Each structure stands twice: as C-alpha cells, then as structure tokens.
Amino acid sequence: MIVARALLLTFALAALPAHAALRVFAVSGLGGEPEYERRFQEQAQAVAEAARKSGASPENIVILSGERARRDALEREFTAFARDTRKEDQVAVVLIGHGSYDGTDYRFNLPGPDITGPQIAALLDRLPAQEQLVVNATSSSGAVIESWKRPNRIVITATKSGGERTATRFAQFWIEALTSPEADRDKNETVTAEEAYAFAERKVTDTFKSDAALATEHARMEGGNPARFVVARFGNAALMPDDAVLAAMLQEQAGIEQRIEDLKGRKASMDRDQYYNELERELITLAQLDRRIDARKAVLTGPSAGGPDGTR
Amino acid sequence: MAHVDLRTRLFVRTARWACALLVSFGVLGAAEAQEFDYDPNRSPALRPCDEHRNRGRTTEARTCYEQLLRSSNDLQVQAEAAWATGDVRRANELFREVVRADEKAVRPRVRWGRLYLSTHQFSDAAALFREALEIDADDVQAQLGMARLLSERFEGDARSIVSEVLKKDGDRAVGNSLVEAHILAARMDLDDGRYESAERSLERALSLAERTKQPPLEAYALLAALDLMRGDDKSQQRWVDRALEYNPRYGGVFEMLAHYEVMRRRYREASEWLKRAVDVQPDRWSAQAEYGVNLLRLGDVKGARQALERAYSGDPFSAITVNSLRVLDKLEKYSVARASSPDIITWLDPKEADAMRPYVEDLARKSIATFSRRYGFEPQQPVTIELYPNHDDFAVRTAGLPGIGLLGVTFGYLVAMDSPSGRSAGDFHWGSTLWHEMAHVFTLSVTDHRVPRWLSEGISVFEEWRTGPTPGVAVTPRTLDVFREGKFLPVARLDEGFIRPDYGDQIQVSYMQSGLICLFIEQRWGFDKLVALLRQFTRDTTTSTAVEATFRMSPADFDKEFATFMRERFARILAEPKEWERAMLAAHEAAQKEQWDQVIEPARRASEIFPDYTLQGSTWLLLAQAYDKTGKRPEAIRTLQRYRELGGWDPGALRKLADWLDEAGQSEQSAEILNALILIEPLDASLHAKLGERYQESGKPHEALREYQVLLALNAHDTAAANLGIARAFQSLGDRANSRRHLLEALETAPHYRPAQDLLLELNGKPTQ
C-alpha cells in the first residue's frame, strides 16, 4: 500500500503541469428490452459526462450505442481510437450491457453479431497507453478477467466468473462513484479506480442485502495499479493550470504526503502519543499549504467550480 | 412511494404478528419415539418382550428382543425387535424387505411409517401411511398413523381423521385399536383447552387399555397433564404415581407435563419436569433434546448445550438437536453486553453489534419504562434480547427447526427476534416487533405466565398501536372480512385460533381480533379495566371466569358488545367494502398511468372509507404522491403526516416526507422522521450521516456522537466523515482529547479533507483562511 501510494504521488507529480490526456471509450451493448436499452445508453452517456467533468476533452471521448455499437463499427472505431492514443495517455474502456458465457467463450451482446472475449482482447492490445483501465460491467464478465489483464492494465468485471449470468447492477454504482464525491474516501478531490471499485462493490453488496436477495454478482478487480489511476476529479483537483509557483507548491505538498505515508508505515512500531503528535504536525503543515494552493489556483483560474470545503 | 397491484396487495405486515410462543409446541412431540403399538394384531411373539419394556424392565426387555431377533423367522417381528433394541437401521432394512415381499401389505407399511415418525423423517412417514391407505382406505392403523403425524406436526386435519376412526367405536372388528384414537382425541382436546371432552376420551382410553391389557401409560400421562391444567396438584400426583408404579422408568409422564407447561409458557416449570423425565429415563432422547431447547429459552446456554449433546449422543437423527447445537456454536461468537437501570442484556451478531446496540438498548429502556408505568410492574430480573441476522438461526433457536414464519418470540425475560439485517428493507419494522415482544415480557411476568395466549398477544398488538413506534390501528381488510362473515371466535375460545387454526390465516386474524378486543376494553371501560383483566390471571382461572369477574357480564354478552364496537369503529369500511376496493383500484390505475390529477379523488375517497389502511398499497401514499405531482406540496406533507399518525411506516414514504419537510424549512420535524426510520432501517449508513449532521447542527452533541459512532461501526465507505463527526461531537461535549484523536484519525485517512483541516487548524489556534 505504501508503494502504491508513493507511485500515486510520483504519478501526480509527473502529470503536472500538463498532465496526460484522459481518453475514454464506452460502449452500451444490446439491451434486448426497451428498459435495458435505455438504461445502458444513459449509463454510457453518464460515463462520458463524468470524463468531461474530469477534464477529458470531447475529442478524447468515444461513445457507441444502439446501431453504432455493431461489431464492425466497434472494431473500426476502436482501431481509430487506439491509433490516436499516445503512450503517456490514460485510457479507460467501459463496456455496459449484457454478456454471456457458454463455458468456452465470453460474448459481449451487440446489435448484429456479438463480439467475443478474445476479439475484444485483441483490440485492447492495440492500445499503446501505459495506463489502461477496462471496466466490463456486463453479466458473465468475470470470464475474461484473467485473459484481459496486463501489467499496465487494470481489469474490473461486474461478476466473478462467466457463471454469474444475471443482468448486473455494477455499472449503475460505478457511474455513481464517478459522479459523487461519496466515493472519494481520502477527500483529495479525485477518485481513483481503487476507490471507485470499493464504492461500487460495496453498493452492489448493500443492495442485495437490502433486498434480502441472494447476490447474483460479485465484482473483481485485477492487474495494473488501481490506486494511481484517477477516474474522476472534482473541484480544484480538476484544475491544473501551468504555473511554476503552483508546481513548486504541489511539489512541497507531495513531500508532506510522502512523509505522512512514511509515518503511517511506522505507526505500529511507534509510541501512540508520539505518532499522533508527529502526524498532527505534518497535517497542520499540509492544511496550511492546501489553503495556499487553493488560493493560488483561484488567482490563476478565477472562481473554481468546486467549493474549498471538499463538499462540492 | 410504492405502487402495488391490488391483486398482491394488503397483507405484507401480518407476518410480524405470527409471533410469540406458539411455535415450540408442535415440535416437542415430534421427537417422541413410538413407544406403544396398540394394534391388537401385533404379533403375540412380541408381547412378552413388550411387557418387559412397558414395565420398565429394560435389561429383560433387551434380552427378550435380541433373542427374538435371532430366533424369529418372521421378518416383521425381527424388524420390530431391531427397532425396540434401538437398531433403527436394521429395522429399516427389515421393513423394506417385508414390504418388498408383499406389495399389498398394509401393516408393515404402517409400522415402517411409525419407524420413520420416531426418527423425525416425517415426509417418508407420511408417504408410507398414504401408501397403506391407498391399499386399504379403511385401515384404522394407517389412519391413526397419519393422524398421529399430523397431530404432532400441527399440520392438516388430524381431528377429522380421529373422529372418523372413533365412529367405528362399536365395530368389534376394530375393537381395541381405539385406545390410540381416544388418546389422540384427548391430546387435541387438551391442547385446545376442552378439558371435559379430553377427560371423557381419557376415561374411555384407560378403560379400553385396562380391559385389553394395553399399556395405560400414555393415558396416565395425559390425565396427569389434564389435572395440571386444571390446577389439581393432588390428582395430578396420583396419576404420576400410577404411571411410575406401572413403569418406574417412564419419563414420558414428566415429558407430557413439560409439554403442557411449555404450552402455557411456564418454561421454568417445564425444565423441572424435563429434568425429572431424564432422571428416571436417561435414554429418553426426546426429553433430553426438549430439556436443552427449554434451557435455551431460559437463557441457560451452558446447560442447554450439555442436554443437547446428551440428546445427540442417543438420537443423532433429530433435526431439532442438531440445529440447536449449530446455533449454540454461533451464539458463542455473539457480542454480549449488559446495560443497567434497567438491566438489559443484549446478544448481537458481532458484525452489527456496535451499530445495533445503542438503539436496541434505547428502545428496550423506553418500553420497560412505559409498560412498568402502565401495568404497575417492574421486571424482576434482567431482560435478555437476542437479534439474529439469519432468520433460520432465529427459528432454530426458537423452535429447534428452521422455516417458521415468525419475527420475534418471548420466553419470559428472554426475547429473541430477527435482526433487520436478515430481512429486505421495508418489510420489517424491528422497533415495532421489539415493542410487541417487550409487552409480552410484562404480560407473562405479571401473571407468572398464566395469561392466556389471546390476551398476551392482544395486549402486545394493542401496545404496538397505542404506545409503540407505529401508532394507529393497523387492521387488515381480511380481518374485517372475517368479522363481517361472523367468523370471529368468541372470546372464551379465542386461544383456539392460535393453537389449532381452522383456516389458513386464522392465526393472523386471531392476533388482530385479540388486539381489537383490548382496544374495545380500553374504549368501553378505560385502560385500567384491561389491566384488571390481565391481573385476573395472577391466579389460575379461565378466560370466561376472568371476563365475568372483570366486566360483570357473561362472555357471550361481552362478545355482543365487542361486535357492536366493531360495527361502529369500522362502520364505513364494513358498509362499503366494494366501494373501497373500487376507489383503491381507480387510484392505483391512474397512478400507474401517471395521471396524477385523476388519482386524488379516488385515493381520498378510499382513505376516507378505510383510513386505518396503511399497509402496502395504501391510498394515503398515492394521495401524497398525487398532491406532490400536481404542485400541492403542503397537502402532500399533511397527507404523509396523517399516514404516519395512523401507523404507516413505508420507509420510502418516510424518506420522502423527511426531504419535503427539510425543503419546507421544518428541519426539526424532518429529523424526527429520520429518527423514526432508524427503527426500520438501522443499518443504512446515509441515515446516520444525516442524523449526525442534524443533531450536531441543532446542538445535540450526545445524539450526534451516537449517530457518528454507529456510522463508524457500520464500516461505511467514508470513515473520514464519520471520524470528523465524532470529533466535532466530542468537541461540543468538551472532550478535547477524544476530539483530537478522532480528528487525526479522519485526517489520517483523508489528509486533504478540508472541513477536518479547518477543525485541526482551529483546535491549534491557526487561521483557517
């Protein structure tokens, strides 16, 4: 966890001031029924909207739904999307809809012929980006998790295996995680894949519990480094002006964060009072610095979209 | 707000009253072995061995049966001998062989069925009795086997089968078989409180048994039980003595007495009888198991385990024993805490203990204060409350078997109930269930468990309506239908509706009728008369006598006045049931089409005809929604407030009401609604977060602290916010050390959390801007 956190800090620094582009490719598959059709399309749109709010430019967002989501169109669009992607970009691919698994092959249900797990894997492998996130929110999606994961690719599936065939609830809560600050557990105004996954997985579990129903899906996450992949930004975090003073302050902020992480790593071996005293000192310094950063951003960008209280 | 198809409407909440005290009675008999074969055609070869066994000469009996097992060429005799020596597997194989050899054999099938009955394999037993009856529909032994099964399982119509058999009383061919028929009839009569009829059956059974040299032990045991119920200790002892004189090892007489003590919820006395049963007959496994289950009812977990383990060692087939031992294993991991003033002990699943305990203790305290005041009685010992997230664990803990449709049970000072986490959101008001059960604690204790079932349930239902968290008289249309059809039981026989219902939902209807009778007493004579009626049962008496003594009128006149009350109290719905249904249907249809202006008139009409209807599909909910959709928010708020006053508690509707009140600037009323929701959905983290904030804002740091601590205990996704809430509450309470500690924990998780940073800077005297 300490390593993961350290990598996140490094990533955050490396991304500044001109952070890598976030590119999103979302597909809503065949609904089969009008209700599902509508829901899947709305969910795909919500993914796009969240990406836009997090700073992704419109040309970096591709949404396929309805007739536009036929297999040939998907392959064509994805090939173009992969071609336009740079190595330093972050790519999120989100599949929403019904999937099926016959014991051998996973299929993502599309208008016309379905697309199989290996065919999607081949498309994903064309992506040059070093940071990839694939969210397969379909039923039976667990069937592909092992074959899709790569060292630089986080794969999240709504189900633990191909055998969980019931229409899933995961997509709904994944989107909620992207659009609601509730998922931002560490209150840093960004939601990582790890936080979003934890949030959505808990919500899915809670709804089954609340319905006193047997859970028909159990999400999984494999590969990559989900703690460093930011899937949503809120408020000031979405603002990244190119400014040397700000960069220096952010550098200082990262240093404090690192010291806090180090301290937390030593917690078990420290005297309790000493630990909290040292932690308090670092946190006071960080709180004061955060306020200077907010003020600097406000000067550079004007009034921000988000409030300074973390509540947005 | 819920829309519901009228075809599936109505009875959602009735299950919550399918409640205390009844379930355990059906299972005691189920573990009994078939001890006596009253069939006059039983092989004479078995008779000498049977005589030893019936007289308690165990060693001689065993030797005799073993010799028979070795020497007899008759497979059925061998099967009986194997069974009598306890080798049920071999007996099973031998019966199978006999039946295989003769496809039309009736008696072996019946006896094989009895073997299954004794080993708790009820569906197999029923199948064999049915097969026997298919071969010979008039076979009395098969009929009695089926009747015994149904009687012990409290299923089906055992009484009509026995009545049919008893019609053959004059038939010489049937003759002596009728000992068992009379015994079964007596037992059912005794269960129903028909003592004179039971006595007649037992006299007949005894005379037949003596004349035909059949064992009279079951008759003695039932006669002792009859005297127990009548309060004739001397005569009761005489029957016990005669039973022990006949067979000094006959624990059945004590087990029978225990059964009837359990029926009238005297668990301490039942344990004493069961102890005597296993003392005189240690291998009476059914009594060992029941002893264990009963000790569990008394809260003696250690003693229960010992008895159940003994029962298991002799009868590993008993589902009751095995299930109970499994639940005991789970109970060992429960979180147990004792609170004082008044003494309350809570047993909670460790996963939810910290979240549930504050509310369970709080509500239990309120109920004890309320009932102590109303009934003039203080609990004499701590009240134990157990909550089970797994409904089957609760059912096993209650009755030894899963699958019962209850929500809560009270055994004197011990309450066991489902936890809200074990049920889907919105179908269970745990607060109301606990309130209902706590009323039982009082009615049982005040009367030393003499209160008849109908009155105990009636007061519990009545207290739910009058003082509980869901006020209002929540009566189902079905109950009123039964009243309209003239099928309410007379008060003197109302217990029968709980014990041996004549129709599918009679138990639920009986709960309602009992509650309504209590309401009637309160309205007609004042609440004190209800207390006076209850106190009639501080000594042994009957409902009839108690009614006469309390109200100076005959039970028949009481019933007439109650009927008049019902006709007045529910005048409109009783007069216009069809119009109510029509209005309901019209309102729901319009709502489904989202024609909200068309909803208002029929919804209002339905609510006027039957205002008490607040269960699923209530038109109050539609009316509120329609008002809101047509821009009449104040009317919508008033409608939901009225719905709540009448006992409505749909959580979706209450959430909506809380939001609307907030938007209308009535934050105090909104907080009250959120607080009420805790008694429905206590494990909903968002509710505690909201309430914590409200309490903090309104200067109630103690309450805020509780809400945030529960939020933290729920292990919510956002622990930083919960810790910050706790820090703020401690700060308001002047506890700086705890405030700092939780604040640092919040920031340890979320170092950039601006509101927490503000508090940190403030506490350290630094500027926040």
Side-chain angles (χ1 to χ4, degrees):
Chain A
M1 189 60 203
I2 295 169
V3 174
R5 181 70 187 168
L7 282 171
L8 171 61
L9 298 170
T10 310
F11 173 72
L13 280 174
L16 292 171
H19 61 87
L22 172 64
R23 310 200 74 226
V24 175
F25 192 95
V27 186
S28 76
L30 188 66
E33 294 170 23
E35 169 60 25
Y36 279 123
E37 202 74 43
R38 183 186 57 76
R39 188 193 307 171
F40 294 159
Q41 290 189 18
E42 282 175 4
Q43 288 173 340
Q45 287 301 330
V47 168
E49 183 59 24
R52 268 192 291 277
K53 282 187 177 166
S54 294
S57 57
E59 64 273 19
N60 283 335
I61 301 170
V62 178
I63 301 292
L64 300 182
S65 58
E67 282 303 306
R68 287 194 61 221
R70 298 182 80 87
R71 188 177 76 191
D72 50 356
L74 189 157
E75 287 172 337
R76 191 173 55 249
E77 291 288 339
F78 196 90
T79 303
F81 179 82
R83 192 185 55 229
D84 295 343
T85 300
R86 296 168 303 158
K87 194 176 174 186
E88 61 271 26
D89 288 341
Q90 277 191 314
V91 172
V93 177
V94 183
L95 307 180
I96 296 166
H98 298 304
S100 60
Y101 182 64
D102 60 8
T104 309
D105 282 331
Y106 163 83
R107 289 170 188 278
F108 179 33
N109 302 161
L110 299 173
D114 293 339
I115 187 166
T116 67
Q119 287 168 334
I120 297 172
L123 289 174
L124 292 172
D125 286 344
R126 293 182 191 176
L127 289 168
Q130 284 182 340
E131 297 292 332
Q132 300 178 17
L133 167 69
V134 179
V135 180
N136 184 348
T138 69
S139 41
S140 295
S141 49
V144 297
I145 195 160
E146 294 300 331
S147 58
W148 288 10
K149 76 176 179 188
R150 300 285 182 275
N152 64 334
R153 182 187 301 156
I154 307 154
V155 182
I156 291 173
T157 59
T159 76
K160 69 178 173 192
S161 68
E164 293 187 326
R165 295 187 168 90
T166 308
T168 62
R169 306 177 183 194
F170 186 83
Q172 173 194 343
F173 296 114
W174 176 263
I175 289 156
E176 199 176 319
L178 305 186
T179 53
S180 144
E182 209 187 323
D184 177 17
R185 192 156 44 184
D186 62 6
K187 312 289 182 194
N188 64 350
E189 302 192 316
T190 62
V191 176
T192 64
E194 184 179 71
E195 285 175 322
Y197 173 79
F199 176 86
E201 195 231 0
R202 176 187 290 266
K203 287 277 187 177
V204 168
T205 306
D206 286 351
T207 59
F208 279 109
K209 258 193 206 163
S210 170
D211 295 347
L214 197 65
T216 52
E217 62 186 90
H218 301 81
R220 286 178 67 188
M221 179 166 68
E222 294 280 345
N225 194 333
R228 69 182 287 189
F229 197 108
V230 174
V231 293
R233 295 174 197 278
F234 305 105
N236 279 342
L239 308 170
M240 286 297 175
D242 189 355
D243 175 65
V245 176
L246 182 61
M249 285 197 282
L250 290 170
Q251 183 96 37
E252 187 185 349
Q253 185 191 53
I256 301 169
E257 286 173 337
Q258 187 60 63
R259 290 201 297 277
I260 290 172
E261 286 303 313
D262 292 345
L263 190 58
K264 282 158 74 175
R266 299 198 307 275
K267 182 178 181 180
S269 61
M270 286 176 75
D271 171 74
R272 186 190 164 90
D273 286 346
Q274 187 197 355
Y275 170 76
Y276 281 113
N277 287 340
E278 285 188 29
L279 180 68
E280 188 174 37
R281 266 197 301 277
E282 295 292 358
L283 288 168
I284 289 171
T285 312
L286 182 65
Q288 291 172 323
L289 178 60
D290 279 352
R291 273 143 192 78
R292 294 208 307 277
I293 290 171
D294 289 344
R296 182 71 188 169
K297 280 186 178 175
V299 168
L300 293 169
T301 63
S304 72
D309 62 354
T311 54
R312 291 172 290 277
Chain B
M1 285 188 225
H3 290 185
V4 65
D5 185 335
L6 277 179
R7 285 167 300 185
T8 59
R9 69 191 157 98
L10 311 184
F11 306 119
V12 174
R13 272 210 306 173
T14 55
R16 72 180 169 145
W17 291 310
C19 181
L21 318 170
L22 176 68
V23 284
S24 347
F25 317 143
V27 300
L28 179 136
E32 283 179 26
Q34 159 63 17
E35 292 180 299
F36 309 113
D37 181 2
Y38 296 104
D39 187 347
N41 295 319
R42 184 170 170 88
S43 169
L46 291 160
R47 297 253 174 226
C49 307
D50 291 346
E51 179 64 9
H52 285 309
R53 188 184 59 176
N54 295 343
R55 291 289 186 169
R57 298 188 289 267
T58 316
T59 311
E60 293 88 334
R62 172 169 276 278
T63 309
C64 180
Y65 285 124
E66 282 172 351
Q67 274 177 0
L68 211 51
L69 192 55
R70 285 193 297 273
S71 61
S72 175
N73 293 324
D74 183 336
L75 285 180
Q76 187 165 340
V77 168
Q78 285 185 36
E80 294 282 357
W83 180 6
T85 58
D87 190 349
V88 290
R89 288 180 201 282
R90 186 156 179 212
N92 185 41
E93 285 160 15
L94 286 163
F95 276 126
R96 182 179 288 117
E97 273 189 59
V98 179
V99 167
R100 199 181 289 144
D102 183 356
E103 283 184 3
K104 294 288 176 194
V106 173
R107 181 172 165 78
R109 281 188 164 80
V110 173
R111 292 300 296 161
W112 196 11
R114 294 276 192 167
L115 176 70
Y116 276 120
L117 190 53
S118 75
T119 52
H120 325 282
Q121 297 171 81
F122 304 109
S123 55
D124 291 320
L128 281 161
F129 295 142
R130 268 196 297 272
E131 273 182 36
L133 287 167
E134 277 165 20
I135 297 165
D136 181 358
D138 291 328
D139 186 84
V140 168
Q141 293 303 319
Q143 288 169 337
L144 289 174
M146 189 62 94
R148 175 80 78 162
L149 170 70
L150 296 176
S151 164
E152 289 182 357
R153 301 285 291 164
F154 277 62
E155 290 172 355
D157 194 0
R159 191 179 281 282
S160 69
I161 298 175
V162 172
S163 299
E164 280 302 308
V165 171
L166 285 172
K167 282 182 190 162
K168 299 170 185 173
D169 203 7
D171 184 347
R172 293 177 70 84
V174 175
N176 307 334
S177 307
L178 295 175
V179 173
E180 187 173 18
H182 286 295
I183 280 173
L184 279 172
R187 184 154 182 170
M188 285 185 280
D189 282 338
L190 206 47
D191 287 351
D192 291 346
R194 298 176 184 179
Y195 299 153
E196 284 170 19
S197 175
E199 187 169 28
R200 280 196 299 275
S201 293
L202 287 172
E203 281 168 1
R204 181 83 179 123
L206 198 55
S207 131
L208 268 173
E210 283 169 356
R211 201 176 70 215
T212 59
K213 308 236 179 301
Q214 297 274 21
L217 290 168
E218 273 191 293
Y220 289 158
L222 282 164
L223 282 159
L226 175 64
D227 286 329
L228 173 85
M229 301 301 271
R230 283 173 161 168
D232 187 345
D233 295 349
K234 210 169 157 187
S235 178
Q236 169 203 315
Q237 187 58 45
R238 202 165 54 241
W239 292 118
V240 170
D241 292 343
R242 284 184 70 174
L244 293 179
E245 191 184 321
Y246 191 92
N247 177 351
R249 291 189 74 258
Y250 184 56
V253 66
F254 299 118
E255 192 177 3
M256 189 69 80
L257 291 169
H259 170 80
Y260 285 97
E261 293 288 20
V262 170
M263 273 204 74
R264 52 185 194 172
R265 297 145 298 175
R266 297 188 189 175
Y267 306 107
R268 270 194 316 274
E269 291 82 351
S271 273
E272 286 163 19
W273 292 125
L274 288 164
K275 172 81 171 47
R276 290 183 70 182
V278 299
D279 281 348
V280 300
Q281 191 180 355
D283 60 352
R284 194 169 184 90
W285 310 120
S286 58
Q288 290 278 18
E290 184 57 21
Y291 187 35
V293 169
N294 200 58
L295 286 174
L296 205 46
R297 289 178 190 130
L298 294 169
D300 180 358
V301 173
K302 193 176 165 192
R305 177 178 284 283
Q306 287 168 352
L308 286 162
E309 283 176 350
R310 280 195 299 274
Y312 182 78
S313 72
D315 180 8
F317 303 106
S318 165
I320 292 172
T321 305
V322 174
N323 290 337
S324 299
L325 282 168
R326 282 186 185 148
V327 167
L328 278 175
D329 288 345
K330 287 192 185 176
L331 268 178
E332 278 183 2
K333 295 179 187 125
Y334 265 43
S335 160
V336 185
R338 184 169 183 149
S340 54
S341 305
D343 283 350
I344 300 162
I345 300 168
T346 43
W347 287 64
L348 303 171
D349 184 289
K351 283 187 199 143
E352 59 189 45
D354 290 343
M356 285 302 298
R357 184 161 282 124
Y359 306 107
V360 173
E361 287 180 352
D362 184 50
L363 194 64
R365 268 198 202 97
K366 282 180 184 153
S367 70
I368 289 172
T370 301
F371 298 140
S372 295
R373 177 170 42 79
R374 282 167 74 80
Y375 294 93
F377 178 86
E378 301 279 339
Q380 302 297 299
Q381 64 185 74
V383 179
T384 298
I385 299 166
E386 301 171 355
L387 261 63
Y388 290 85
N390 182 324
H391 175 72
D392 280 346
D393 288 342
F394 157 68
V396 167
R397 188 261 175 275
T398 302
L401 292 168
I404 57 169
L406 305 177
L407 304 177
V409 172
T410 303
F411 303 112
Y413 283 101
L414 192 152
V415 170
M417 57 182 275
D418 275 343
S419 163
S421 62
R423 293 191 164 259
S424 55
D427 81 340
F428 176 48
H429 196 298
W430 75 267
S432 199
T433 300
L434 180 57
W435 198 264
H436 178 110
E437 301 305 330
M438 290 300 290
H440 280 306
V441 171
F442 280 76
T443 50
L444 289 169
S445 305
V446 166
T447 61
D448 198 16
H449 293 230
R450 289 187 184 87
V451 60
R453 183 157 304 114
W454 77 266
L455 184 55
S456 191
E457 297 299 354
I459 287 177
S460 281
V461 170
F462 168 75
E463 289 296 350
E464 277 189 74
W465 295 341
R466 268 285 173 267
T467 58
T470 54
V473 181
V475 174
T476 61
R478 166 70 180 150
T479 303
L480 297 175
D481 287 346
V482 173
F483 170 73
R484 194 185 298 107
E485 291 160 12
K487 288 186 185 163
F488 265 15
L489 286 170
V491 66
R493 288 179 45 216
L494 192 43
D495 267 3
E496 289 173 29
F498 293 92
I499 301 167
R500 289 197 186 276
D502 287 331
Y503 50 87
D505 58 352
Q506 191 175 11
I507 292 177
Q508 287 91 333
V509 170
S510 299
Y511 273 91
M512 291 276 172
Q513 185 187 341
S514 301
L516 288 164
I517 287 177
C518 294
L519 181 68
F520 158 61
I521 292 169
E522 184 216 38
Q523 307 268 298
R524 167 77 171 74
W525 290 284
F527 175 71
D528 288 350
K529 277 287 182 191
L530 183 61
V531 179
L533 176 65
L534 177 67
R535 288 202 170 268
Q536 287 289 320
F537 295 94
T538 52
R539 58 188 176 278
D540 286 327
T541 187
T542 62
T543 293
S544 295
T545 309
V547 165
E548 283 187 2
T550 309
F551 306 108
R552 306 287 172 211
M553 65 168 62
S554 68
D557 287 341
F558 179 92
D559 289 333
K560 275 184 208 155
E561 286 215 20
F562 172 55
T564 305
F565 162 79
M566 286 292 295
R567 281 192 291 273
E568 286 170 5
R569 173 67 176 75
F570 300 101
R572 280 206 69 182
I573 178 64
L574 287 170
E576 303 176 78
K578 295 288 174 207
E579 179 52 26
W580 178 70
E581 283 198 14
R582 266 194 297 278
M584 282 276 280
L585 195 60
H588 277 275
E589 280 177 356
Q592 270 175 353
K593 292 176 194 158
E594 300 191 358
Q595 294 169 341
W596 300 109
D597 51 346
Q598 313 271 313
V599 169
I600 292 174
E601 196 280 324
R604 197 160 38 199
R605 194 165 70 249
S607 298
E608 281 167 5
I609 294 171
F610 191 8
D612 300 296
Y613 187 70
T614 54
L615 304 182
Q616 195 169 1
S618 166
T619 40
W620 289 114
L621 300 180
L622 291 186
L623 189 57
Q625 196 173 10
Y627 278 139
D628 183 57
K629 295 280 186 187
T630 52
K632 302 183 184 79
R633 177 63 65 80
E635 285 90 336
I637 290 176
R638 278 197 294 276
T639 301
L640 282 188
Q641 285 174 326
R642 178 75 184 129
Y643 160 77
R644 185 162 173 257
E645 284 162 11
L646 289 164
W649 54 269
D650 177 272
L654 295 190
R655 278 177 199 283
K656 185 69 80 182
L657 177 58
D659 288 346
W660 287 348
L661 286 165
D662 252 345
E663 288 167 22
Q666 300 177 47
S667 58
E668 205 165 310
Q669 289 92 329
S670 171
E672 189 207 325
I673 302 295
L674 292 175
N675 205 30
L677 275 162
I678 294 286
L679 299 179
I680 307 167
E681 298 181 335
L683 303 176
D684 180 337
S686 66
L687 198 54
H688 296 284
K690 269 189 198 170
L691 267 172
E693 201 178 314
R694 296 289 166 80
Y695 285 134
Q696 189 64 31
E697 282 169 2
S698 55
K700 295 177 178 169
H702 283 289
E703 288 85 348
L705 181 61
R706 180 186 65 192
E707 296 308 321
Y708 284 122
Q709 283 175 331
V710 168
L711 185 60
L712 197 60
L714 286 169
N715 194 24
H717 183 80
D718 190 356
T719 55
N723 268 313
L724 176 60
I726 294 171
R728 281 176 168 156
F730 273 128
Q731 189 199 16
S732 302
L733 292 166
D735 185 342
R736 192 182 159 81
N738 266 316
S739 177
R740 173 180 178 262
R741 157 90 192 289
H742 282 278
L743 178 61
L744 292 177
E745 283 182 12
L747 286 164
E748 187 182 36
T749 310
H752 298 282
Y753 190 14
R754 296 299 197 273
Q757 287 183 336
D758 285 345
L759 182 57
L760 179 71
L761 294 173
E762 185 190 326
L763 285 176
N764 284 277
K766 314 275 185 196
T768 55
Q769 294 299 322

